[in-house]
Amino acid sequence: MAAQLIVALDVPNAQDAERLVDQLYELDVILKIGLEALCAYPERIFSYCEARDARTFVDAKLHDIPRTVGAAVAALVRPTVQMINVHALGGLEMMRAAVEAASERAAELEIPAPHIFAVTLLTSIAAEDLNELGLQGGPGENAIRLAALARDAGCAGVVCSAHEVRDLKRFFGDDFLTLTPGIRPTGSAHGDQKRVTTPAEAVAAGSDYIVVGRPIVEASDPVAAAKAILEEMSVRA
Ligand code: C5P
C-alpha cells in the first residue's frame, strides 16, 4: 500500500474545520479528528464528514481503565471512521478492550471495523523527558516495547516517530502498520514537535500513514500545501 496522508483538522471552531473539510476531502487524504475537535464540536464534525463520505481517523488517544476505553471506542465507531487510537501506556488489557469493542460495535452496525492504533510515545516527548517520566531507555527502546504490547493486543499498528519506523518494521513485519506525526516539510516551523522528519524521509523509512497538521491547516493555501506534500510523498527519496 502506498503511504497515505492524514491531515489533522486542529482548529478551534467548527466553521474553520468545516471549511477545511470542504477544501480537502476530495484530495486523496484522510481527515484527522483530534482532541481539539472532539472536545469542542464533536457531533458537528462527525456529521459534516459523514455527509461528504470523508474518511476519518479519530485521534482520541484514549487512556483509561479497559471498560471505559471499550465503551468510548464503541461510541466512536461510525461508517466513515477508519481508525481510532489509544495510548499503549494504558496497557495490554486496555488495548484488547479497544480492539474487541471496535469489532463488536462494527459487527452490530454491519460496517467494517476501524483499525485500532496505539500511541507509543508522543512525538513531542524528547529523550530527556523520558527520564523525568520514569521510563527507562531511549525513545526507540520504549517504542519497540510498547509496540510489542500493541501487537499482542491485536492493534493494527502504532503511532510513532518516523525515526522508529525502520526498527518497528524489522521487528514486527510490514503488515504491522506505522502512523507517524511530527512531519515537517523542509523550511516549515517545528512548533512543539521535537522529533521531526520530512514527508519524503517518512515515506522512505516505510511509514504507512503520515500525519500533518499545522503546515497544512495554517498555510495560506491549505489545498496547495496538501498537494505539495502528496507530491513529495509520491517521489520516494
Ligand atoms: O501540527 P502538527 O503537524 O504538529 O500536528 C500533528 C498532529 O498529530 C496533532 O494533531 C497531534 O495531536 C497529533 N499527534 C502527535 N504525536 C503523536 C500522536 C498524534 O503529534 N504521537
Side-chain angles (χ1 to χ4, degrees):
M1 180 187 82
Q4 297 262 297
L5 175 60
I6 299 179
V7 182
L9 299 176
D10 295 337
V11 287
N13 63 67
Q15 290 88 331
D16 287 344
E18 288 167 357
R19 190 173 323 116
L20 281 167
V21 173
D22 280 332
Q23 289 175 311
L24 298 168
Y25 82 97
E26 285 178 319
L27 300 181
D28 187 15
V29 299
I30 297 171
L31 301 175
K32 182 170 91 65
I33 300 175
L35 283 178
E36 191 168 357
L38 279 178
C39 294
Y41 44 89
E43 277 312 318
R44 251 181 94 164
I45 192 67
F46 279 122
S47 315
Y48 207 80
C49 289
E50 264 167 41
R52 282 148 193 80
D53 209 18
R55 295 177 296 155
T56 55
F57 161 37
V58 186
D59 184 14
K61 294 199 186 69
L62 300 169
H63 188 167
D64 207 319
I65 58 171
R67 199 212 73 87
T68 304
V69 166
V73 165
L76 290 171
V77 174
R78 291 167 178 247
T80 52
V81 173
Q82 301 207 326
M83 312 141 93
I84 300 171
N85 67 0
V86 300
H87 270 290
L89 283 165
L92 183 70
E93 205 190 323
M94 188 209 78
M95 289 188 274
R96 267 195 194 129
V99 172
E100 279 163 21
S103 89
E104 280 165 20
R105 182 64 186 140
E108 278 166 23
L109 297 175
E110 299 182 349
I111 58 174
H115 279 158
I116 301 295
F117 280 78
V119 179
T120 53
L121 290 178
L122 295 172
T123 39
S124 57
I125 300 239
E128 51 273 25
D129 301 322
L130 293 175
N131 213 357
E132 206 170 72
L133 288 170
L135 292 170
Q136 287 172 359
E141 282 165 81
N142 277 282
I144 298 284
R145 200 182 59 240
L146 292 165
L149 273 186
R151 181 211 45 198
D152 292 350
C155 291
V158 285
V159 182
C160 61
S161 157
H163 297 293
E164 288 141 15
V165 169
R166 281 201 176 86
D167 278 346
L168 286 165
K169 293 285 186 185
R170 200 173 317 124
F171 275 96
F172 304 113
D174 276 346
D175 291 345
F176 191 62
L177 302 171
T178 51
L179 190 157
T180 56
I183 304 292
R184 289 291 177 269
T186 314
S188 64
H190 288 194
D192 57 353
Q193 298 284 16
K194 292 185 183 156
R195 295 179 290 139
V196 300
T197 314
T198 67
E201 283 165 354
V203 173
S207 180
D208 299 287
Y209 299 92
I210 74 167
V211 180
V212 182
R214 287 162 286 185
I216 293 176
V217 303
E218 291 179 1
S220 54
D221 183 346
V223 176
K227 283 186 174 165
I229 293 173
L230 286 168
E231 173 67 23
E232 185 179 337
M233 289 168 67
S234 68
V235 186
R236 287 195 54 148

